[in-house]
Amino acid sequence: MSLTHLDSAGRARMVDVGGKPVTARRAVASGAVVMKPETLALITSGGIAKGDVLAAARIAGIMAAKKTGELIPLCHPLGLDSVEVNLDPTGPGTLTITATASVTGKTGVEMEALTAVSVAALTVYDMCKAADKEMTIGDIRLEAKSGGRSGDYRRAAD
Amino acid sequence: MSLTHLDSAGRARMVDVGGKPVTARRAVASGAVVMKPETLALITSGGIAKGDVLAAARIAGIMAAKKTGELIPLCHPLGLDSVEVNLDPTGPGTLTITATASVTGKTGVEMEALTAVSVAALTVYDMCKAADKEMTIGDIRLEAKSGGRSGDYRRAAD
Amino acid sequence: MSLTHLDSAGRARMVDVGGKPVTARRAVASGAVVMKPETLALITSGGIAKGDVLAAARIAGIMAAKKTGELIPLCHPLGLDSVEVNLDPTGPGTLTITATASVTGKTGVEMEALTAVSVAALTVYDMCKAADKEMTIGDIRLEAKSGGRSGDYRRAAD
Amino acid sequence: MSLTHLDSAGRARMVDVGGKPVTARRAVASGAVVMKPETLALITSGGIAKGDVLAAARIAGIMAAKKTGELIPLCHPLGLDSVEVNLDPTGPGTLTITATASVTGKTGVEMEALTAVSVAALTVYDMCKAADKEMTIGDIRLEAKSGGRSGDYRRAAD
Amino acid sequence: MSLTHLDSAGRARMVDVGGKPVTARRAVASGAVVMKPETLALITSGGIAKGDVLAAARIAGIMAAKKTGELIPLCHPLGLDSVEVNLDPTGPGTLTITATASVTGKTGVEMEALTAVSVAALTVYDMCKAADKEMTIGDIRLEAKSGGRSGDYRRAAD
Amino acid sequence: MSLTHLDSAGRARMVDVGGKPVTARRAVASGAVVMKPETLALITSGGIAKGDVLAAARIAGIMAAKKTGELIPLCHPLGLDSVEVNLDPTGPGTLTITATASVTGKTGVEMEALTAVSVAALTVYDMCKAADKEMTIGDIRLEAKSGGRSGDYRRAAD
């Protein structure tokens, strides 16, 4: 077994997708920001303010998905069909982030979904760090992908 | 307590750092990519190839640190003094990433260090995903920061 | 009626264009920079210098059209077929800007044409602001679009 | 009188600010999106959804201010101290946008404030264009600036 | 004969490729960094260090190819299929850089290959400049292109 | 002797400039595009059109100088004080490009001047390539630098 992003001499290269068919592809990734319950309460409760941390993180994640090819050296630039980012409290101090990306193209959108989750998480960290320096970003992983030669994938439940 | 990145009506804003003193600031962040031991072996062993996944991730992390202000909506653009990214195997299937950023400025560089770790981890994921879709990126956190009004911080050991 | 860029819970999302047909699309937008007649004279008259404000604004507008997907959070990244930006004096102190963008794709190029006009106008402002701080940028609007499911559109005369 | 951004042969150049003093500078710009009253109602009324058009535009404006030096050919890259963008209904179909930018530096931040207004307006247009193609963006102008050699400026009331 | 990137009035424009067929296109470009033999020895010899200048330059070249449409005013933004950058010593003080880019599209990828070579060369310069300020970057040229209406091209041997 | 951009284990890093003094720094770089005399005549002669190739290249070079820290992996992001790019015919088929960059900062601006020359040259190539595929970009080099600890430098005449 070998790594597709290295040539036979071990040098980094962008894999040639020229001969691959154009198909509808979709990927879902998730991750979580774990924080003090009080910090999560600051984000999710209280009047008109409640929207803006989540809205900012959602938009930062969507915009980052569009920048994936610029951030990850060997990613192909892609004309995304859609990106969606959701942030939901799933525990006393846990904010779970899910991103779905899709494209009609020659290569998958796993990296776009994972990048959207990562940057949405960093945005939450940034906006809350004055209140809680100990937040941790974790469990960033691919949940599912479809389309393309390698077939559909769904992560096994933990 | 309230979130500094929201004004009194809860609207997102970039905090005004105009009146803050210019000081030497430094931040260290870390994170890990957890993968199959065989995947880690593909990265770290074997002839001339061994360098390029780690070299690509290191460079992607450094370049991402410089893009932090572009990715995170309310981050200040900063003229970084230095960025350093290291990737080291710390267990059978664990690659630990550490990033250090420094600046002489009015605001801290936590987000730059965290962004470097995140994008270096995404680059490892990208270059190895054909071999291992189940990799997880986690434990992204601030280890230490120094400089600035709020004093030095060092994360308590787990 | 509702806004397509918000889901049913009012959260921003990038509209999924995956199922839309690829067609030839074109959009024309216009706007104006209103300034003192003397300022316009500095731009349009006088020897070899005359080209560079207009040339700089034209190029800035074209380059900005290519950045639209990066600037506008929910815009799809597009592989533009063409962009053209023209700047013409249309009154004693009025410089009218027109931009045309086209693509063969699943979604329209209104935002690309409008962004080209806006950034060309800002470039004129920047290059002339030492001479005239009171310039106003206005009347930025879609003139016409063609291609796509919603049919052709032409703005009614004022 | 001549244009500072052209040299004596009329060629575009970035004005040398190397000898200028570092001072605290601030600029305020404004503009408006004029739309059908029903469109404005879709943005400003109604349940949880109401935040996201305004939140997206606010964030797009702030992020664009940080990109000003990248969009406008002869603008100096600046390390902004703060950016604030507000969007307020000021008439039956008028949404007024105000942006304030500040820096401690050698050159003013008019272009950053004007760019923030322009891109926030374009974002509103984008998110509402399916409902209202006739929206117009206008009256983009500098309201006030302070700091720097040329003294304070406040636009005369209309 | 005239320049395709200027309209009949001599104004810059992005050539309209809307009517051109989509074909597989490929371009190869090359260039060289000429330096002191001792400088080249620092790059190519010596233990574990040897990889990183070449790895950094290779990655910088690949990432720059993806940014071509952002750097060159009238280039079309392209969804590249592949990019490959190689750096090889070809004389006592000569490091030759070759880049190959490919796309399935309406317009060629010469500029992408040439940009990859240029930025890889600049990266070598940057990393070695403390040791050798006299390095020269030269002989940047198109070696070959295929695909598209104008037929295949191969540069004549010198 | 060793390379400053590699640590003792040969890994790429951004050199720490935190302890270096802030001084006025300036760098001049040059390069040339060599083409058929007829191609140069298309650029430099003839009516109103003559300005736009040179104007586009000048602006592309200035904008690229501002992007240097984004293109070259280990370059520090800099707040440039000025950039100037000139293009002058210096022989029957030779267009010479000179760029000057300056900053008040902790690190030099050689890379900014060299990047401006390179991207201005690529822009000329792009705009003329339909007329002349054999153009060569060469002789890109540092002419002079001043400011900073290492003292002034002026390249010896050939």
Side-chain angles (χ1 to χ4, degrees):
Chain A
M1 186 155 219
S2 63
L3 297 175
T4 51
H5 286 70
L6 301 181
D7 68 14
S8 60
R11 292 176 300 214
R13 59 170 179 187
M14 196 191 292
V15 176
D16 192 344
V17 299
K20 295 174 75 177
V22 170
T23 61
R25 293 154 185 276
R26 178 172 296 265
V28 183
S30 67
V33 188
V34 179
M35 58 189 85
K36 292 184 211 148
E38 307 88 270
T39 311
L40 187 55
L42 280 175
I43 297 175
T44 56
S45 69
I48 192 174
K50 82 174 171 182
D52 255 9
V53 173
L54 300 179
R58 200 153 43 223
I59 287 164
I62 291 170
M63 294 178 87
K66 295 191 274 184
K67 279 182 169 294
T68 304
E70 214 180 292
L71 291 169
I72 312 297
L74 304 178
C75 262
H76 293 84
L78 289 180
L80 291 171
D81 282 343
S82 72
V83 188
E84 204 182 303
V85 177
N86 288 305
L87 300 101
D88 299 292
T90 56
T94 301
L95 185 69
T96 293
I97 304 172
T98 310
T100 305
S102 68
V103 75
T104 311
K106 295 176 174 179
T107 182
V109 285
E110 299 97 303
M111 295 316 302
E112 282 71 12
L114 288 161
T115 301
V117 168
S118 299
V119 173
L122 289 166
T123 300
V124 171
Y125 189 101
D126 179 46
M127 293 182 75
C128 301
K129 67 181 191 294
D132 184 354
K133 283 183 187 57
E134 257 127 86
M135 283 173 289
T136 302
I137 298 171
D139 272 330
I140 299 177
R141 57 198 202 182
L142 181 66
E143 293 294 343
K145 61 171 287 204
S146 62
R149 200 169 36 186
S150 65
D152 291 0
Y153 165 81
R154 182 163 295 277
R155 188 185 178 86
D158 289 329
Chain B
M1 186 156 219
S2 64
L3 297 175
T4 51
H5 286 70
L6 301 180
D7 68 13
S8 59
R11 291 176 300 214
R13 59 169 178 185
M14 196 191 294
V15 176
D16 192 345
V17 300
K20 294 175 74 178
V22 170
T23 61
R25 293 154 186 275
R26 178 172 297 265
V28 182
S30 67
V33 188
V34 179
M35 59 188 86
K36 292 183 211 149
E38 308 89 89
T39 311
L40 187 55
L42 281 174
I43 297 175
T44 56
S45 70
I48 191 173
K50 82 174 172 184
D52 255 9
V53 173
L54 300 180
R58 199 152 45 223
I59 288 164
I62 291 171
M63 293 179 86
K66 294 190 275 185
K67 279 182 170 294
T68 304
E70 215 179 293
L71 292 169
I72 312 297
L74 304 179
C75 263
H76 293 82
L78 289 181
L80 291 171
D81 282 342
S82 72
V83 187
E84 203 182 303
V85 177
N86 287 305
L87 300 101
D88 298 291
T90 56
T94 302
L95 185 69
T96 294
I97 304 172
T98 311
T100 306
S102 69
V103 75
T104 310
K106 295 177 174 178
T107 181
V109 284
E110 298 98 303
M111 295 316 301
E112 281 71 13
L114 288 161
T115 300
V117 167
S118 298
V119 173
L122 289 166
T123 301
V124 170
Y125 188 100
D126 179 47
M127 292 181 75
C128 301
K129 69 181 188 294
D132 185 355
K133 282 185 186 56
E134 256 126 89
M135 284 174 290
T136 302
I137 299 171
D139 270 331
I140 299 177
R141 59 199 200 180
L142 181 65
E143 294 292 344
K145 60 170 289 202
S146 61
R149 199 168 38 186
S150 66
D152 292 359
Y153 166 80
R154 182 164 295 277
R155 190 185 176 84
D158 289 329
Chain C
M1 185 154 218
S2 63
L3 297 175
T4 51
H5 286 69
L6 300 181
D7 68 14
S8 58
R11 290 175 303 212
R13 59 170 179 185
M14 196 192 292
V15 175
D16 192 345
V17 299
K20 295 174 74 177
V22 170
T23 60
R25 292 152 186 277
R26 178 171 298 265
V28 182
S30 67
V33 188
V34 179
M35 59 189 87
K36 292 184 211 147
E38 309 88 90
T39 310
L40 188 55
L42 280 174
I43 297 175
T44 57
S45 69
I48 191 173
K50 84 173 171 185
D52 256 9
V53 173
L54 300 179
R58 198 151 47 222
I59 287 165
I62 291 171
M63 293 178 87
K66 295 191 275 185
K67 278 182 171 295
T68 304
E70 216 179 294
L71 291 169
I72 312 298
L74 305 179
C75 263
H76 292 82
L78 289 180
L80 291 170
D81 282 343
S82 72
V83 187
E84 205 182 301
V85 177
N86 288 306
L87 299 101
D88 298 292
T90 55
T94 301
L95 184 69
T96 294
I97 304 172
T98 312
T100 307
S102 68
V103 75
T104 311
K106 296 177 174 177
T107 181
V109 286
E110 298 97 303
M111 296 315 303
E112 281 71 13
L114 289 161
T115 300
V117 168
S118 299
V119 173
L122 289 166
T123 300
V124 170
Y125 189 100
D126 179 47
M127 292 181 76
C128 301
K129 69 182 188 295
D132 184 354
K133 282 184 187 56
E134 257 126 88
M135 285 173 289
T136 302
I137 299 170
D139 270 330
I140 299 176
R141 57 199 201 181
L142 181 66
E143 293 293 344
K145 60 170 290 203
S146 62
R149 199 167 38 186
S150 65
D152 291 0
Y153 166 81
R154 182 164 297 276
R155 188 184 178 86
D158 290 329
Chain D
M1 184 156 221
S2 64
L3 297 175
T4 51
H5 286 70
L6 301 180
D7 68 15
S8 59
R11 293 176 299 215
R13 60 169 179 186
M14 196 192 294
V15 176
D16 192 345
V17 299
K20 294 175 74 177
V22 171
T23 60
R25 291 152 186 278
R26 178 171 298 264
V28 183
S30 67
V33 188
V34 179
M35 60 188 86
K36 292 184 212 147
E38 308 89 271
T39 310
L40 188 55
L42 280 174
I43 296 174
T44 56
S45 69
I48 191 174
K50 82 175 171 184
D52 256 12
V53 173
L54 300 179
R58 200 153 44 222
I59 287 165
I62 291 171
M63 292 178 88
K66 295 191 273 184
K67 278 183 170 294
T68 304
E70 213 178 295
L71 291 169
I72 312 297
L74 305 178
C75 262
H76 293 82
L78 289 180
L80 291 171
D81 282 342
S82 72
V83 187
E84 204 181 302
V85 176
N86 288 305
L87 300 101
D88 299 292
T90 56
T94 302
L95 184 69
T96 294
I97 304 172
T98 312
T100 306
S102 69
V103 75
T104 311
K106 296 176 173 180
T107 182
V109 285
E110 299 96 303
M111 295 316 302
E112 281 71 11
L114 288 161
T115 300
V117 167
S118 299
V119 174
L122 289 166
T123 300
V124 170
Y125 189 100
D126 179 48
M127 292 181 76
C128 301
K129 69 182 190 294
D132 184 354
K133 283 184 188 55
E134 256 126 88
M135 283 173 288
T136 302
I137 299 170
D139 272 330
I140 299 177
R141 57 199 201 180
L142 181 65
E143 293 293 344
K145 61 171 289 203
S146 61
R149 199 168 39 187
S150 65
D152 291 359
Y153 166 81
R154 182 163 297 276
R155 189 185 177 87
D158 289 329
Chain E
M1 185 155 219
S2 64
L3 297 176
T4 50
H5 286 70
L6 300 181
D7 69 14
S8 59
R11 291 176 299 212
R13 58 168 179 188
M14 196 191 293
V15 176
D16 192 345
V17 299
K20 293 175 76 177
V22 170
T23 61
R25 292 153 187 276
R26 178 172 296 265
V28 182
S30 68
V33 188
V34 179
M35 59 188 85
K36 292 184 212 148
E38 307 89 271
T39 310
L40 188 55
L42 280 174
I43 296 175
T44 56
S45 69
I48 192 174
K50 83 175 170 184
D52 255 9
V53 174
L54 300 179
R58 200 154 42 222
I59 288 164
I62 291 171
M63 294 178 86
K66 295 190 274 186
K67 278 181 169 297
T68 304
E70 214 180 295
L71 291 169
I72 312 296
L74 305 178
C75 262
H76 293 83
L78 289 180
L80 291 171
D81 283 341
S82 72
V83 187
E84 203 181 304
V85 177
N86 287 305
L87 300 101
D88 298 291
T90 57
T94 302
L95 184 69
T96 294
I97 303 172
T98 311
T100 306
S102 69
V103 75
T104 310
K106 295 176 173 179
T107 180
V109 284
E110 298 97 303
M111 295 317 301
E112 281 72 11
L114 288 161
T115 300
V117 168
S118 298
V119 173
L122 289 166
T123 300
V124 170
Y125 189 100
D126 179 47
M127 292 181 75
C128 301
K129 68 182 189 294
D132 184 355
K133 281 185 186 57
E134 257 126 89
M135 284 173 289
T136 302
I137 298 171
D139 272 330
I140 299 177
R141 58 199 201 181
L142 182 65
E143 293 293 344
K145 61 169 289 203
S146 62
R149 198 168 40 186
S150 67
D152 292 0
Y153 166 81
R154 182 164 295 276
R155 189 185 178 86
D158 290 328
Chain F
M1 186 156 221
S2 64
L3 298 175
T4 51
H5 286 71
L6 301 180
D7 68 14
S8 59
R11 292 176 299 214
R13 58 168 180 189
M14 196 191 292
V15 176
D16 191 346
V17 300
K20 295 174 76 178
V22 171
T23 61
R25 292 153 186 276
R26 178 171 296 266
V28 183
S30 68
V33 188
V34 178
M35 60 188 84
K36 292 184 212 149
E38 308 88 270
T39 311
L40 187 56
L42 281 174
I43 297 175
T44 57
S45 70
I48 192 175
K50 83 174 170 183
D52 255 11
V53 174
L54 300 179
R58 201 154 42 223
I59 287 164
I62 291 170
M63 293 178 87
K66 295 191 274 185
K67 278 182 169 296
T68 304
E70 213 179 296
L71 291 169
I72 312 296
L74 305 178
C75 263
H76 293 82
L78 289 180
L80 291 170
D81 282 342
S82 72
V83 187
E84 203 181 305
V85 176
N86 288 305
L87 300 101
D88 299 291
T90 56
T94 302
L95 184 69
T96 294
I97 304 172
T98 311
T100 306
S102 68
V103 75
T104 310
K106 296 176 172 180
T107 181
V109 286
E110 299 97 302
M111 295 316 302
E112 281 71 13
L114 288 162
T115 300
V117 168
S118 299
V119 173
L122 289 166
T123 300
V124 171
Y125 189 101
D126 179 47
M127 293 182 74
C128 301
K129 68 182 190 294
D132 184 354
K133 281 183 188 58
E134 256 127 88
M135 283 174 289
T136 302
I137 298 171
D139 271 332
I140 299 177
R141 58 199 200 181
L142 181 65
E143 293 294 343
K145 60 170 288 203
S146 61
R149 200 167 38 183
S150 66
D152 291 1
Y153 166 81
R154 182 164 296 277
R155 188 183 178 88
D158 290 329

